[in-house]
Amino acid sequence: MSFPPPDPLNPAQLRAVHHLHGPCLVLAGAGSGKTRVIVHKIAKLMQSGLGPSKIAAITFTNKAAAEMRERAKSMVGARAASALAISTFHSLGVRMLRADGQRLGLKPNFSIMDSDDVLGILRDAGGTTDAKVARTWQWTISLWKNQGLNAAQAAAVAQDDREQVAARVMQRYEERLMAYQAVDFDDLIVLPLKLLLNDREAAAKWQDTFAHLLVDEYQDTNAVQYELMKALVGGHGVFTAVGDDDQSIYGWRGATIDNLKRLPQDFPKLKVIPLEQNYRSTGAILRAANHVIAKNPKLFEKKLWSELGDGEPVQVVACDNEEHEAQRAVQRIQALRASGAAQKLSDFAVLYRANHQARVFEQKLRTAQIPYKVSGGQSFFDRAEIKDLCAWLRLWVNQDDDPAFLRAVTTPKRGIGHQTLATLGEFASRWKVSLFEALFSPSLHTALKGKALQALEDFGREINDLEYRARHAQGAQAARTFLLDWLKVLGYEQHLLDGEDSEKLAQARWAHVLEFVDWIARRCGGELTTEGAVIESTQSSVLEVAQTISVIISLAERGEDQDVVTLSTLHAAKGLEWPHVILAGVNEGLMPFQGPDEAMTAQRLEEERRLMYVGITRARTTLAVSTLRRRQRGRETVAAQPSRFIAEMKLEESVQQEDPRERLRKLRESLAAQSPRVLHDAADP
């Protein structure tokens, strides 16, 4: 088998690519070409005689999986790339459960609950209307599952009354999921592991399916994902784990750096290959990063270096307060663009520790008429109330959509409890029909009787009636009238008021619902753009709009290739890079983050330091670190101290205290004799 000549690899990358027949840990430092190594190793495995379907590459996001597949396609061809098992851990889990979930009591078309579905089931299981309490249970149960604990084991390790309650809720929650023939996101890892550990035949099948396992971002795996990896490789222990202990920043969601420590213990023949050459950042940026991370204890020795030259010194920008900080960030963006150092707005990113820090940057960017996007911010269509209504629309379009059925039948509540739905699920599974189709089975009365049967039949007739009305509600006015009437009959506004502790929050959610109604109505009237311009005069029915809802939503959301400044948390920025980065709010209490009543343990400080390291290494050409003299804490303004991480960067000899306003002034003077257009571009908006 031959492929196009690969790009040249450095000696360390070559060692990683050519180690084919045993366990391998590739310590891939930031910007060291880890994806390149994975793709080249896939090609090398195929050249050695391994079929593409025998190779699994696991990533943590669908985006990363898609990028890896595209890069693999360029090396091994489209046909071979399509046969590779490139997916996330969770997608692999879905594949395994669709194939063998029946061994665990799951039907092949089981439902996958999203976060809001889970929250609703937990509120029911725990007998509470308090969304905050239910979210606490959700978080606690998720952490337990990621540690490999079931409800009984969680009850045994519960440390206080609050956790004991959560363990009891977990028991009822697990019962409901099984009754609904549903799984949650964590189950997509937990259940495949259970399958492999408890079913020798299934374990042998899946170990034979994949002869070589490659795991990207290995440092982000949790305890269950590690056990799943071990179970998949079995006794032969042939895998490649690619990760960086210096970028382990997700301890708060269950990821554990202990997985790196366990590898050489569980696999004594482990080959450790560090990738230290950085292809992203200048020497000055890498020096600052290396100095910071050197303060952490090391699992494996590694020090980044670059051939890109020293570049601009890292800048420290002292600011009076948050507003001043945001203003100076805007001025820096304007100055770098005016100087020609940056051509595009998408070359810039402002990174911060907590979501609330974005607000003032948004304000200043809007004032300066600079477009931006907030990375990781909640999409309008991700809101629970919008998902609720979309579930109903999905069910009108496809009445066999079981997840949509479960969400619609329970939101708002209509006296149909989990036991009734469990019985319906068992009946549907036995006769191999959808939940909706089961409602109209002549033999359903053998499984359900009385009020339960009546309530389900009423719901089925309601869906059919709504589907008919949606089909005939054509044009903006008819659509708006139909949808508002439906919401009134549904009692959805009251549902929101009952479900929120704050009336203000409930009204805000209701405003989102009305906005959604208007959004659909406008599209029924031919207004198909988010700006409201009519580009197609043909009127549509509500059902026609519902049929294309997923496409419309994707078009309505902001594209990734827009020329805009990125505002992002440090966690959301991992894996990304920009020519020019501003690290904001680098102060004690913010970076490293510490709540008013929280102790700064050694473990927490180490993870916060790794987060700082990740932030520094996002920058390619320039890095500015801004710190506050005074900052907002709650409703108070308090004195602020620069973060200890600034001193740890050891910038003393090369620090330049810059003033973007002065830089702008000098640029304008030097450009004054040039064309008016150039001068205009250098001016403030």
Side-chain angles (χ1 to χ4, degrees):
M1 185 175 292
S2 63
F3 301 120
D7 298 329
L9 299 172
N10 66 42
Q13 291 172 329
L14 280 169
R15 286 198 301 274
V17 167
H18 285 266
H19 188 80
L20 304 179
H21 304 298
C24 180
L25 172 61
V26 182
L27 285 173
S32 63
K34 65 179 179 67
T35 306
R36 195 163 164 233
V37 166
I38 292 172
V39 171
H40 277 74
K41 189 155 191 175
I42 289 171
K44 187 67 181 176
L45 286 164
M46 291 175 62
Q47 285 178 330
S48 71
L50 207 59
S53 63
K54 290 284 190 179
I55 303 169
I58 302 176
T59 70
F60 271 80
T61 66
N62 290 321
K63 182 181 176 182
E67 180 190 347
M68 190 176 293
R69 189 174 296 281
E70 281 301 309
R71 292 176 69 168
K73 191 187 298 181
S74 67
M75 283 207 66
V76 304
R79 178 178 292 183
S82 66
L84 294 165
I86 299 176
S87 70
T88 63
F89 266 108
H90 294 89
S91 296
L92 177 62
V94 172
R95 173 181 170 180
M96 295 174 69
L97 292 178
R98 294 289 187 210
D100 289 323
Q102 288 164 303
R103 294 172 177 268
L104 299 171
L106 285 174
K107 63 180 183 180
N109 60 334
F110 62 84
S111 301
I112 301 171
M113 300 292 186
D114 66 21
S115 180
D116 293 315
D117 295 329
V118 168
L119 196 64
I121 297 172
L122 285 172
R123 289 168 68 167
D124 180 55
T128 184
T129 59
D130 191 327
K132 186 177 180 181
V133 171
R135 276 192 288 270
T136 302
W137 291 336
Q138 186 177 10
W139 181 249
T140 304
I141 291 169
S142 179
L143 281 177
W144 280 335
K145 284 192 174 187
N146 288 326
Q147 293 165 8
L149 305 177
N150 59 29
Q153 293 164 328
V157 301
Q159 296 184 359
D160 51 36
D161 291 344
R162 182 185 61 81
E163 290 192 353
Q164 285 289 351
V165 171
R168 288 196 293 273
V169 172
M170 184 178 181
Q171 177 68 43
R172 294 194 286 271
Y173 169 67
E174 289 180 343
E175 291 170 356
R176 281 162 170 76
L177 285 182
M178 183 55 70
Y180 296 164
Q181 285 289 293
V183 299
D184 63 21
F185 201 58
D186 299 315
D187 287 330
L188 298 177
I189 310 296
V190 172
L191 293 180
L193 176 59
K194 183 179 178 181
L195 177 72
L196 297 180
L197 294 180
N198 299 334
D199 191 320
R200 289 185 179 178
E201 186 179 341
K205 167 191 169 181
W206 288 102
Q207 288 165 7
D208 183 63
T209 299
F210 304 124
H212 199 111
L213 196 66
L214 300 103
V215 182
D216 191 17
E217 302 288 5
Y218 176 77
Q219 76 282 344
D220 295 335
T221 55
N222 59 40
V224 179
Q225 287 163 337
Y226 177 70
E227 293 299 333
L228 181 62
M229 185 194 83
K230 276 180 63 182
L232 279 170
V233 301
H236 64 277
V238 180
F239 65 85
T240 302
V242 182
D244 183 6
D245 52 335
D246 292 333
Q247 296 187 73
S248 180
I249 60 173
Y250 295 115
W252 52 275
R253 68 181 189 195
T256 173
I257 201 166
D258 287 342
N259 288 352
L260 279 159
K261 298 176 183 176
R262 291 178 63 185
L263 270 182
Q265 299 167 6
D266 293 342
F267 300 93
K269 295 182 179 179
L270 181 74
K271 180 76 171 177
V272 180
I273 303 171
L275 304 183
E276 298 176 299
Q277 183 173 357
N278 175 284
Y279 295 91
R280 175 188 301 161
S281 306
T282 63
I285 292 168
L286 289 183
R287 260 198 320 277
N290 285 333
H291 285 318
V292 168
I293 205 64
K295 293 289 185 179
N296 275 4
K298 305 295 286 185
L299 291 176
F300 306 97
E301 283 302 322
K302 177 177 76 319
K303 191 172 183 179
L304 297 182
W305 60 276
S306 169
E307 290 183 336
L308 299 176
D310 212 49
E312 291 280 327
V314 175
Q315 308 287 337
V316 175
V317 184
C319 308
D320 296 335
N321 51 34
E322 288 89 349
E323 187 172 338
H324 186 216
E325 178 181 50
Q327 186 60 49
R328 296 195 73 172
V330 168
Q331 290 167 344
R332 179 175 178 85
I333 292 167
Q334 292 170 334
L336 285 169
R337 293 192 77 207
S339 71
Q343 302 299 317
K344 300 183 295 183
L345 290 171
S346 56
D347 289 343
F348 295 91
V350 180
L351 309 180
Y352 38 80
R353 180 62 177 82
N355 277 307
H356 71 83
Q357 293 172 262
R359 182 184 57 81
V360 66
F361 289 100
E362 290 189 73
Q363 290 173 345
K364 295 298 181 184
L365 287 165
R366 284 198 300 267
T367 300
Q369 300 179 39
I370 296 174
Y372 66 89
K373 65 176 180 181
V374 181
S375 182
Q378 187 185 43
S379 160
F380 179 79
F381 298 97
D382 285 335
R383 299 181 186 277
E385 56 271 23
I386 306 303
K387 283 186 173 182
D388 287 346
L389 303 188
C390 284
W392 283 82
L393 269 63
R394 283 163 48 198
L395 197 55
W396 300 344
V397 171
N398 174 19
Q399 295 173 343
D400 293 331
D401 187 335
D402 281 358
F405 179 98
L406 286 169
R407 188 162 192 147
V409 80
T410 56
T411 312
K413 291 187 182 298
R414 56 180 59 240
I416 300 174
H418 75 277
Q419 290 292 354
T420 299
L421 291 173
T423 304
L424 179 67
E426 290 166 3
F427 180 88
S429 181
R430 186 164 65 250
W431 292 101
K432 296 181 170 51
V433 296
S434 69
L435 295 171
F436 186 86
E437 192 176 351
L439 298 185
F440 300 96
S441 170
S443 56
L444 183 60
H445 71 275
T446 61
L448 287 164
K449 300 186 185 326
K451 290 182 179 179
L453 180 62
Q454 185 65 50
L456 284 172
E457 290 176 340
D458 288 347
F459 176 72
R461 284 190 287 271
E462 182 181 358
I463 294 297
N464 283 332
D465 178 61
L466 289 168
E467 187 269 341
Y468 176 85
R469 292 177 62 194
R471 187 185 300 278
H472 291 86
Q474 193 158 351
Q477 189 54 50
R480 187 174 283 105
T481 300
F482 160 62
L483 291 168
L484 291 174
D485 285 349
W486 164 57
L487 289 170
K488 187 176 180 180
V489 173
L490 195 62
Y492 195 77
E493 184 177 11
Q494 189 61 48
H495 162 73
L496 293 177
L497 286 166
D498 293 341
E500 293 290 349
D501 297 330
S502 164
E503 184 177 344
K504 186 178 178 181
L505 182 57
Q507 290 298 340
R509 294 182 66 189
W510 178 244
H512 298 151
V513 169
L514 295 178
E515 185 180 343
F516 185 60
V517 167
D518 184 63
W519 184 84
I520 294 174
R522 285 167 51 222
R523 280 149 184 80
C524 289
E527 299 176 22
L528 302 184
T529 70
T530 54
E531 287 73 31
V534 178
I535 62 170
E536 185 177 305
S537 58
T538 305
Q539 294 194 341
S540 304
S541 71
V542 171
L543 194 68
E544 288 171 324
V545 172
Q547 286 170 336
T548 58
I549 192 97
S550 60
V551 177
I552 294 171
I553 288 170
S554 67
L555 291 173
E557 292 177 329
R558 204 176 259 175
E560 292 182 1
D561 298 328
Q562 288 188 318
D563 187 27
V564 296
V565 174
T566 296
L567 303 179
S568 173
T569 63
L570 287 161
H571 284 100
K574 186 167 176 296
L576 305 175
E577 59 183 74
W578 296 268
H580 308 286
V581 170
I582 299 168
L583 289 185
V586 187
N587 286 84
E588 290 294 311
L590 281 175
M591 188 70 235
F593 184 82
Q594 185 176 6
D597 302 317
E598 293 179 317
M600 181 57 73
T601 63
Q603 186 177 4
R604 278 196 58 202
L605 180 59
E606 287 168 15
E607 180 152 324
E608 291 289 309
R609 187 175 282 116
R610 292 194 292 270
L611 193 56
M612 181 71 179
Y613 174 84
V614 165
I616 295 170
T617 54
R618 298 313 92 196
R620 298 211 306 258
T621 308
T622 74
L623 174 65
V625 179
S626 65
T627 183
L628 308 172
R629 296 185 181 94
R630 298 187 67 78
R631 70 180 182 93
Q632 205 69 26
R633 193 169 65 189
R635 296 183 179 181
E636 295 181 312
T637 300
V638 298
Q641 297 297 319
S643 169
R644 69 193 77 187
F645 299 151
I646 293 177
E648 291 177 3
M649 293 166 75
K650 297 184 179 179
L651 303 174
E652 296 87 354
E653 296 180 4
S654 58
V655 159
Q656 296 184 11
Q657 301 287 342
E658 71 155 3
D659 187 341
R661 291 168 293 189
E662 180 65 16
R663 187 170 183 176
L664 269 174
R665 186 186 65 79
K666 291 178 180 178
L667 276 166
R668 288 173 182 144
E669 289 175 357
S670 68
L671 294 170
Q674 299 181 34
S675 72
R677 178 64 189 166
V678 174
L679 185 61
H680 174 76
D681 289 345
D684 288 333

